[in-house]
């Protein structure tokens, strides 16, 4: 059951016909009937099948590479190595959206001499069948001489460590200096210090990476692929040495992304092979390829030293943050920025001192994953709050209540949040939803845990983010939306239909959304960073509003009333003050068409633009705005086996304004399940850089057996920067879930496991340590 | 390709003649002949995205060799219904938001149909959680899938009672 709140002064009377309703999404019928084509479902005549040869070692020098036998195998059309590449590198920055590109962050496309991680691509094969391509891989002769690598972030920072990135293995570093942290500690009654560690994790989208490329009649390399970002066409064009206008990325509905389909993977290899062979090329990753072939979530080590006054107020917060980037930059600098900004959490702290760095190793490279560093920050600050409450002898809820940020308060970077900050209400309601904690029974102990959070939505403002959207009305009164935004399963396209439909009075099911095509839909940026609805929703709202205004002016002329007295609903146009006066929408459209009144609009939405935060103090604005909320969990822990069962899991979030409440709940519920797995079972284990868990039977995502029904409590402050006052919820639903699980486990067993994931072994060990100490 | 044999398959009630190598899985065969609604997620039986019904019982098609299917009727999610004749489970999955990215959805609906027709038509949540434990979903957290299974089961019972 879900509860709605929309009591905001001045906004009580806003009511919508489609916005906020639990509508069936426009993409749902195709999916349940098995009619939706995913990127891997496309084939073409004369198509080749591709495979990637990967390094088995994580740190090595390639002393020999001979592909002649593979090239000679009948049925092999093409084998590519570094020697065949015109340009050997590809950018790893945020997908070519804003023109901004960091220096020295390119990655080699294929190994030319040095292997820096296990799975790094060495050669590409295209052949008449998958079997022949696989056979060809086995005929490639590679000799790799192991060279000493570094697999630990602290070892990597020592002066004599092997160099993986630059001359010091530091990919990025930041600091925040706010107030006087030493004075804050001097004023503290109690100081609490803890270090928390998080692990490598995998997106495990159900659809592995896949794509199909072909060259068209204009010499354009077309790639139909499963991606969160069609803007990668620019990096692909740069990497293969042809103009940007000669690469076209066409998306499909994506079988899950979670940040893992933002970077360039298969599409570059497909482009190279298509260009070389002149034939269509399909490359579909196996699940194992997917484990080796895309960036993972960053492991973090975060130390908190927090001073508290007698009443529980935080007097100072000193935080040290280390993330592991693996050998290439990818999103690591930005992810670290999110973690740094979010360091002290959703709390008002006047004295803050943060040092952070991202360190290169020869473990797998890391990149975007839902929450983008703010999740790892939350795992640290929320466990720290519970540990502090324990030391202070205070209730964890009350300790948070005393310190929570309010609207207008300055966060760690000094930025004063202007939207609603309803963390306290979210916390109270999530906590109350847990009800009474059951009494312990024998070895089974019960625990309750809470976690509050702050998560930015939209891009960091120095990236100058924009999105375009197009809305047009057809002659029969149906509506078309065009947006380059990808749809990764969260209902992105459906939300755009709902927004255009609300404004034009046409049911969303009568709206067609063309999306995710870099050459025919207006570019809108990635579906990531909780920016899809915020950016593209606003762009489409701007476009639909412009069309509506022109149509309303013509209707007003017809009825002899003011433009503002015109209303659109149910595919009719009405005089709002006299609803007997109305016309079918399509009659108005026919009139407009005959008179040459423009029935479509291309609009742009610009997020707030700004400069980098001050490099010495870390002060300034990072995000346009923030989403706030809290998550509460009830667990049962078997203290003999260390096994955890999640009994209740409740997310309470202020989403600003729901566009489709079922989709909002879906984002929260799915994010929460990923949080459950993050806390308890998921871990990519690398042993000296080699992955020992490359399958879904070794890498343990939550199944239905692990997943209780998740409850959502949705509040609507209508104070966000998105359309109709929406805030973003794609990442925020996930952000606090793992922390809440950890706090519930600690509450149950009376001890803290500081290192994620909280496996049965670690929990049983912690329980036995408390017995030994007790 | 060795040991290619010509076989007759019944796919969603349509007889198909296929030439399948002895080592070809049913997943590979089905996708090759155009039944791409059967999804490939792991090819190891870990994820359930490729589930189909064989004579009404759900199997992972990636773990089933085409040569072992024989005369058993193969049903994919397309065989359960479509826009003109939606199956109650399809309606429930769509209307209750149980399909997000949708990649697990064909397998989920097939596993649910198997539960409701072979085991119990009045499942409780524990039955559902057990029955779907071989089908991974990474988007929904399963909550709306549980809702859809309960709602679809109710609709199926009502349709049965109305006969």
């Amino acid at each position: 059951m879900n509860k709605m709140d929309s009591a905001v002064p001045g906004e009580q009377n806003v009511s919508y016909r489609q916005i906020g309703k639990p509508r069936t999404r426009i993409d749902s019928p195709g999916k349940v009937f098995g009619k939706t084509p995913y990127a891997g479902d496309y084939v073409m005549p004369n198509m080749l099948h591709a495979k990637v040869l990967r390094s088995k070692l994580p740190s090595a020098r390639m002393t020999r590479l001979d592909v002649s036998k593979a090239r000679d195998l009948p049925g092999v059309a093409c084998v590519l190595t570094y020697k065949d590449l015109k340009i050997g590198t590809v950018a790893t920055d945020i997908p070519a959206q804003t023109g901004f590109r960091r220096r020295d962050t390119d990655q080699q496309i294929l190994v030319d001499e040095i292997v820096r991680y296990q799975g790094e691509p060495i050669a590409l094969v295209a052949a008449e069948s998958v079997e022949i391509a696989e056979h060809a891989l086995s005929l490639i002769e590679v000799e790799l001489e192991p060279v000493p690598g570094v697999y630990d972030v602290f070892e990597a920072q020592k002066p004599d460590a092997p160099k993986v990135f630059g001359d010091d293995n530091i990919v990025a570093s930041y600091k925040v200096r706010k107030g006087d942290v030493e004075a804050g500690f001097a004023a503290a009654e109690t100081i609490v210090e803890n270090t928390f560690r998080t692990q490598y994790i995998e997106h495990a989208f159900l659809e592995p990476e896949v794509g199909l490329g072909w060259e068209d009649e204009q010499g354009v390399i077309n790639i139909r692929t499963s991606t969160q970002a069609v803007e990668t066409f620019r990096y692909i064009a740069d990497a293969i040495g042809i103009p940007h206008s000669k690469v076209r990325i066409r998306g499909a509905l994506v079988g899950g992304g979670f940040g893992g389909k933002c970077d360039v993977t298969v599409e570059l290899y497909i482009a190279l092979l298509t260009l070389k062979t002149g034939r269509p090329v399909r490359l579909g990753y196996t699940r194992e390829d997917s484990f080796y072939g895309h960036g993972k979530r960053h492991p973090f080590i975060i130390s908190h030293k927090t001073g508290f006054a007698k009443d529980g107020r935080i007097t100072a917060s000193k935080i040290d943050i280390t993330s592991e980037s693996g050998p290439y930059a990818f999103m690591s600098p930005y992810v670290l920025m999110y973690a740094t900004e979010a360091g002290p959490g959703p709390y008002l702290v006047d004295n803050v001192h943060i040092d952070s760095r991202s360190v290169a190793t020869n473990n797998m490279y890391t990149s975007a994953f839902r929450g983008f560093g703010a999740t790892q920050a939350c795992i640290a600050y929320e466990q720290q709050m519970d540990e502090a409450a324990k030391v202070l002898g205070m209730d964890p809820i009350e300790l948070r209540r005393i310190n929570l940020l309010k609207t207008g308060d300055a966060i760690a970077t000094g930025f004063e949040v202007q939207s609603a900050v309803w963390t306290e209400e979210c916390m109270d309601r999530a906590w109350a939803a847990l009800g009474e904690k059951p009494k312990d029974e024998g070895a089974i102990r019960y625990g309750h845990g809470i976690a509050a959070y702050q998560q930015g939505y939209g891009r960091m403002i120095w990236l100058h983010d924009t999105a375009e959207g197009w809305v047009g009305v057809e002659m029969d009164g149906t509506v078309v939306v065009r947006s380059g935004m990808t749809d990764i399963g969260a209902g992105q396209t459906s939300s755009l239909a709902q927004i255009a439909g609300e404004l034009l009075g046409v049911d969303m099911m009568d709206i067609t959304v063309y999306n995710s095509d870099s050459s025919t839909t207006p570019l809108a940026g990635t579906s990531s960073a909780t920016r899809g609805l915020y950016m593209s929703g606003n762009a489409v709202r701007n476009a639909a509003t412009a069309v509506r205004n022109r149509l309303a002016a013509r209707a007003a002329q017809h009825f002899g009333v003011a433009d503002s007295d015109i209303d659109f609903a149910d595919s009719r146009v009405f005089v709002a003050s006299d609803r007997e006066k109305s016309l079918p929408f399509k009659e108005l459209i026919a009139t407009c068409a005959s008179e040459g009144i423009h029935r479509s609009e291309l609009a742009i939405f610009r997020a707030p633009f700004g400069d980098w935060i001050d490099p010495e103090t870390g002060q300034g604005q990072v995000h346009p705005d923030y989403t706030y909320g809290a998550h509460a969990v009830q667990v049962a822990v078997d203290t003999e086996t260390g096994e955890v069962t999640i009994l209740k899991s409740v997310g309470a979030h202020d989403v600003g304004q729901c566009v489709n409440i079922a989709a909002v709940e879906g984002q929260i519920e799915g994010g929460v399940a990923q949080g459950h797995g993050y806390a308890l079972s998921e871990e990519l284990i690398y042993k000296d850089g080699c992955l020992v868990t490359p399958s879904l039977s070794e890498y343990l995502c939550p199944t239905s057996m692990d997943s209780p029904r998740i409850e959502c409590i949705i509040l609507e402050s209508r104070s966000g920067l998105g359309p109709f006052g929406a805030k973003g919820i794609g990442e925020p639903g996930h952000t606090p879930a793992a922390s809440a699980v950890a706090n519930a486990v600690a509450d149950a067993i009376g001890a803290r496991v500081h290192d994620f994931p909280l496996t049965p072994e670690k929990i049983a060990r912690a329980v036995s340590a408390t017995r030994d100490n007790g | 390709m060795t040991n290619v044999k010509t076989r007759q398959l019944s796919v969603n009630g349509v007889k198909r003649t296929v030439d399948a190598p002895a080592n070809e899985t049913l997943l590979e065969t089905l996708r090759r002949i155009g039944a791409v609604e059967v999804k490939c997620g792991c090819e190891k039986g870990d994820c359930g995205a490729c589930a189909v019904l064989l004579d009404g019982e759900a199997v992972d098609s990636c773990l089933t060799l085409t040569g072992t299917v024989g005369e058993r009727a193969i049903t994919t999610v397309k065989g359960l219904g479509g826009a003109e004749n939606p199956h109650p489970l399809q309606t429930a999955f769509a209307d209750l938001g149980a399909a997000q990215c949708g990649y697990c959805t064909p397998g989920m609906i097939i596993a649910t149909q198997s539960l409701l027709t072979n085991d119990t038509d009045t499942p409780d949540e524990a039955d559902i959680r057990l029955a779907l434990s071989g089908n991974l979903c990474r988007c929904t957290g399963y909550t709306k899938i549980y809702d859809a299974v309960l709602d679809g089961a109710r609709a199926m019972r009502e349709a049965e009672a109305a006969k």
Side-chain angles (χ1 to χ4, degrees), chain B residues 23-41:
Chain B
N23 63 351
E24 188 167 86
T25 66
L26 183 57
L27 169 64
E28 291 168 324
T29 306
L30 288 171
R31 288 189 60 84
R32 187 160 55 76
I33 65 172
V36 292
E37 70 273 22
V38 183
K39 295 300 173 207
C40 173

Side-chain angles (χ1 to χ4, degrees), chain A residues 31 38 41 665 704 709, chain B residues 31 39 100 129 144 147:
Chain A
K31 287 172 175 174
Y38 292 78
D41 299 338
E665 290 167 354
S704 52
R709 185 175 287 276
Chain B
R31 288 189 60 84
K39 295 300 173 207
Q100 284 197 27
R129 286 171 68 172
K144 296 211 184 306
D147 290 341

Side-chain angles (χ1 to χ4, degrees), chain A residues 302-518:
Chain A
I302 304 180
S303 297
H304 275 259
K305 177 182 176 184
T306 318
F308 293 89
K310 200 166 188 170
D311 64 358
R313 273 215 161 272
I314 298 171
T315 60
S317 177
K318 189 169 184 179
I319 306 169
D320 188 86
I321 301 173
T322 303
S323 76
E324 182 164 359
S325 74
Y328 296 105
F330 284 90
M331 297 298 118
S332 293
Y334 301 130
V335 169
L336 184 71
M337 173 59 70
Y338 271 54
T340 306
E341 174 202 32
Y347 303 108
L348 178 60
V349 188
D350 294 330
N351 304 306
V352 181
H353 178 116
I354 304 174
D355 287 309
S356 64
R357 69 218 52 89
S358 192
V359 180
T361 67
N362 293 104
N363 287 318
M364 184 61 187
Y365 71 86
T366 45
S367 196
F369 194 122
R370 198 177 204 165
F372 212 68
T375 311
Q376 292 95 324
C378 180
I379 286 166
Y381 62 68
E382 281 305 83
Q383 294 195 87
Q384 172 74 353
M385 287 303 275
D386 264 29
E387 287 302 291
K390 197 171 164 183
V391 172
L392 295 164
M394 288 183 72
D395 180 288
I397 299 286
E398 295 313 312
L399 180 62
R400 286 178 173 81
R401 190 185 313 286
I402 289 167
N403 289 293
L404 282 173
L405 288 161
K406 306 271 191 294
T407 298
D409 283 344
I411 64 169
T413 66
F415 174 68
E416 293 167 0
V417 179
Q418 298 305 310
S419 67
V421 182
W422 285 5
T423 328
E424 184 174 3
E425 175 151 20
C426 291
M427 176 179 77
D428 286 340
R429 291 178 67 166
W431 191 248
L434 292 183
E436 284 290 303
K437 186 158 65 177
K439 294 263 177 293
D440 294 344
E441 310 153 36
I444 307 297
R445 294 194 205 155
Y446 294 89
H448 281 182
I450 190 84
Y453 74 93
Q454 165 186 293
Q455 173 88 44
Y457 63 89
R459 287 221 183 290
M460 293 164 286
I461 64 166
W462 52 81
L463 292 171
H464 294 191
D465 199 11
T466 60
E468 293 184 35
W470 184 96
V471 174
V473 185
E474 264 306 321
M475 294 292 281
D476 63 355
T478 59
V479 172
V480 172
V481 174
R482 293 193 171 94
S483 164
M485 180 175 63
T486 55
D487 189 325
I488 60 172
Q492 280 92 351
T493 48
S494 191
S495 295
L496 299 186
Q498 233 173 322
I499 290 165
E502 179 75 37
L503 291 162
L504 294 171
V506 174
D507 190 79
M508 60 192 281
M509 287 299 176
D510 289 329
I511 296 178
T512 300
V513 182
Y514 294 103
N515 80 311
S516 194
D517 184 333
S518 70

Side-chain angles (χ1 to χ4, degrees), chain A residues 719-743:
Chain A
S719 69
L721 300 178
F724 310 97
K727 292 187 169 191
I729 193 64
E731 294 169 293
H734 171 66
T735 307
S739 316
V741 172
N743 283 340

Side-chain angles (χ1 to χ4, degrees), chain A residues 24-25 27-28 31-34 38 40-41 202-204 206-208 254-256 258 287-288 488-489 662 665-667 669-670 673-674 682 695-697 701-710, chain B residues 31 36-37 39-44 46-47 49 77-78 81-83 86 90 93-95 99-105 109 125 129-130 132-133 136-144 146-147 150:
Chain A
T24 299
R25 284 163 31 179
D27 55 307
S28 294
K31 287 172 175 174
V32 300
F33 297 137
Y38 292 78
D41 299 338
E202 164 68 9
H203 307 80
L206 263 282
E207 174 203 37
V254 177
F258 319 113
R287 177 57 58 183
E288 193 171 288
I488 60 172
E665 290 167 354
Q667 283 298 288
E669 290 157 3
Q674 275 180 334
E682 296 183 33
S695 77
L696 293 172
S697 55
C701 302
T703 70
S704 52
M705 293 302 281
D706 308 307
S707 301
R709 185 175 287 276
I710 293 156
Chain B
R31 288 189 60 84
V36 292
E37 70 273 22
K39 295 300 173 207
C40 173
C42 70
E43 297 176 283
K44 287 183 174 176
D46 291 333
C47 79
V77 75
K78 265 192 182 166
Q90 292 172 321
F93 269 68
D95 289 351
Q100 284 197 27
C101 86
Y103 203 77
C104 76
T105 305
I109 291 176
E125 207 164 291
R129 286 171 68 172
L130 184 61
L132 300 183
S133 61
L136 286 179
C137 172
R138 196 63 164 161
C139 296
T140 66
Y142 305 99
T143 299
K144 296 211 184 306
Y146 304 155
D147 290 341
L150 290 168

